[in-house]
Amino acid sequence: MKAFIVGLGQIGMGYDFKEDYHVSCLTHLNAILAHDGYELVGGFDVSLERRNMFESKSKVKCFADLFEGLTKTSPDFVIISTPTETHFEILKTILKLKTVKAILCEKPVSYDDEEATHMVDLCQKNNVKLFVNYQRFYLPSSDVIKKKLFPSNSEIEFLKGVCWYSKGLIHNGSHFINLLESWLGNLESIESIVAHNYWSEEDTEPDALFSFKKGNVFFISSRESDFTHYSIELVTSEGKLSYKNGGDEIYWQSKVSDPIFPGYTILSKNMEPIESNSLKSQYFVLDKISKFIGNDNSIAVCEAFSTLNMIRILRKLKVEK
């Protein structure tokens, strides 16, 4: 697919600009350069410095005018990696181009559920697939974790968890809501316990009980100004998942018979590691989208329509805070 990147900030290009794309794919630029299924045809950014950086690494033209760039390159696949409040207008510009088959948008698609719904509807009317870049969802480790949590030969009778997050519930906490939805089913409700605004007045950071279809998880906010802290701990009737440092370290502990006290069950001291592959996160996003578009229906992807319920609930929580 002919790919075009809109927005060349940290996730677009910055995080691993100096790294070899064969080693690190933390950004859209490196991921496209590394993946054989995509041909980079152009980029757009308002910053001259970033445009020059993009061209120096990719040897591909970067444009100061978005519509000009799109019409001159005729991409099939466009990535939107700009601030959330710009997504809607950029999407409308992209949809003027009839060659586009799919769009990957940074999370969240919108802060507003009505606007997000409108974006989904516009893409459907134009026969364009709209995906969301919740990158942890696409990692192979997420599929392994789901099988650990819900093994086919066991009935899960109990599941409860804790998630630590920072830098806003919508901005960053939504990463973990999306991930938990992929494991535990749809988010059904949120019960706020204590409201905070450590990071921004525009994004609430509550300590709250999140009820998913298959279990409850307490979300607790920490202060991004102190340090970044993202982790999930899930306890089930079959064992315990430890998802540390945003998913860079993942362990599973199964339940075993207590070797000292007969009749008791404990967690195994053996912490089984699950490979995260987080250094190539954006590569796996592109890889799954490529296979999905190629009609592999067994591939799980995050399409924008599947996030509308989450956006609606989070917006309601923000209004009521």
Side-chain angles (χ1 to χ4, degrees):
M1 284 189 290
K2 295 167 65 177
F4 189 102
I5 305 174
V6 181
L8 300 170
Q10 294 288 55
I11 190 67
M13 178 181 69
Y15 287 133
D16 56 5
F17 180 79
K18 295 181 180 180
E19 302 297 326
D20 185 336
Y21 60 79
H22 294 102
V23 177
S24 175
C25 292
L26 295 174
T27 61
H28 298 303
L29 176 58
N30 270 15
I32 289 175
L33 294 176
H35 201 293
D36 292 338
Y38 296 84
E39 175 195 358
L40 183 64
V41 295
F44 161 81
D45 199 275
V46 295
S47 165
L48 175 60
E49 180 183 6
R50 289 197 290 266
R51 293 198 300 271
N52 289 338
M53 290 171 62
F54 176 90
E55 292 182 352
S56 70
K57 182 164 187 173
S58 69
K59 312 305 179 189
V60 172
K61 174 70 175 175
C62 193
F63 297 85
D65 182 276
L66 176 57
F67 190 67
E68 178 190 2
L70 293 170
T71 53
K72 285 188 174 180
T73 58
S74 300
D76 311 297
F77 180 68
V78 180
I79 297 172
I80 302 175
S81 53
T82 58
T84 300
E85 58 270 18
T86 68
H87 289 175
F88 187 33
E89 292 303 317
I90 288 172
L91 181 129
K92 287 191 290 187
T93 300
I94 294 169
L95 291 177
K96 293 176 183 178
L97 197 70
K98 300 307 177 184
T99 61
V100 176
K101 298 175 183 176
I103 298 170
L104 174 63
C105 186
E106 276 303 316
K107 53 76 189 171
V109 169
S110 172
Y111 291 126
D112 183 272
D113 56 322
E114 292 182 2
E115 184 175 86
T117 300
H118 193 189
M119 293 169 71
V120 168
D121 289 343
L122 282 175
C123 286
Q124 288 177 342
K125 288 177 182 177
N126 286 272
N127 198 29
V128 173
K129 292 288 187 183
L130 179 59
F131 303 97
V132 188
N133 188 36
Y134 284 112
Q135 64 261 36
R136 292 175 180 86
F137 175 96
Y138 295 88
L139 291 173
S141 59
S142 296
D143 297 328
V144 174
I145 288 168
K146 188 170 184 177
K147 291 177 181 177
K148 290 290 185 183
L149 292 173
F150 301 101
S152 58
N153 60 343
S154 300
E155 183 69 26
I156 301 301
E157 299 174 353
F158 174 87
L159 190 149
K160 189 180 291 186
V162 175
C163 174
W164 281 94
Y165 74 99
S166 60
K167 206 174 182 180
L169 182 59
I170 299 174
H171 185 77
N172 269 358
S174 61
H175 264 294
F176 302 101
I177 300 170
N178 171 262
L179 188 59
L180 286 161
E181 280 195 312
S182 73
W183 299 336
L184 310 183
N186 286 342
L187 174 63
E188 297 181 340
S189 65
I190 305 174
E191 182 182 344
S192 182
I193 301 169
V194 182
H196 306 287
N197 287 105
Y198 295 132
W199 181 61
S200 167
E201 288 296 324
E202 298 302 315
D203 195 351
T204 183
E205 294 176 298
D207 299 339
L209 175 62
F210 283 61
S211 297
F212 297 89
K213 184 176 180 179
K214 296 182 180 179
N216 296 331
V217 180
F218 288 92
F219 273 60
I220 304 175
S221 60
S222 60
R223 298 195 309 179
E224 183 74 15
S225 58
D226 295 328
F227 50 82
T228 299
H229 182 40
Y230 308 126
S231 71
I232 300 172
E233 183 176 271
L234 297 179
V235 174
T236 81
S237 52
E238 298 301 310
K240 174 185 169 184
L241 173 74
S242 297
Y243 192 91
K244 301 180 177 182
N245 298 325
D248 287 341
E249 298 178 66
I250 310 170
Y251 302 97
W252 173 258
Q253 292 171 271
S254 297
K255 66 179 183 181
V256 296
S257 297
D258 192 319
I260 300 175
F261 299 102
Y264 284 87
T265 303
I266 61 173
L267 287 173
S268 171
K269 293 181 180 179
N270 176 36
M271 298 181 69
E272 177 188 344
I274 298 174
E275 187 175 2
S276 72
N277 289 303
S278 58
L279 196 61
K280 292 195 172 183
S281 58
Q282 295 304 327
Y283 180 93
F284 288 111
V285 175
L286 295 184
D287 193 55
K288 284 196 170 184
I289 288 175
S290 176
K291 291 174 180 175
F292 181 82
I293 291 175
N295 294 319
D296 187 343
N297 295 326
S298 67
I299 298 297
V301 293
C302 184
E303 293 190 75
F305 70 82
S306 69
T307 69
L308 294 179
N309 177 64
M310 175 178 68
I311 295 172
R312 177 184 59 80
I313 293 176
L314 291 179
R315 181 172 182 262
K316 185 172 183 287
L317 180 70
K318 179 182 174 182
V319 170
E320 292 178 349
K321 70 170 181 161

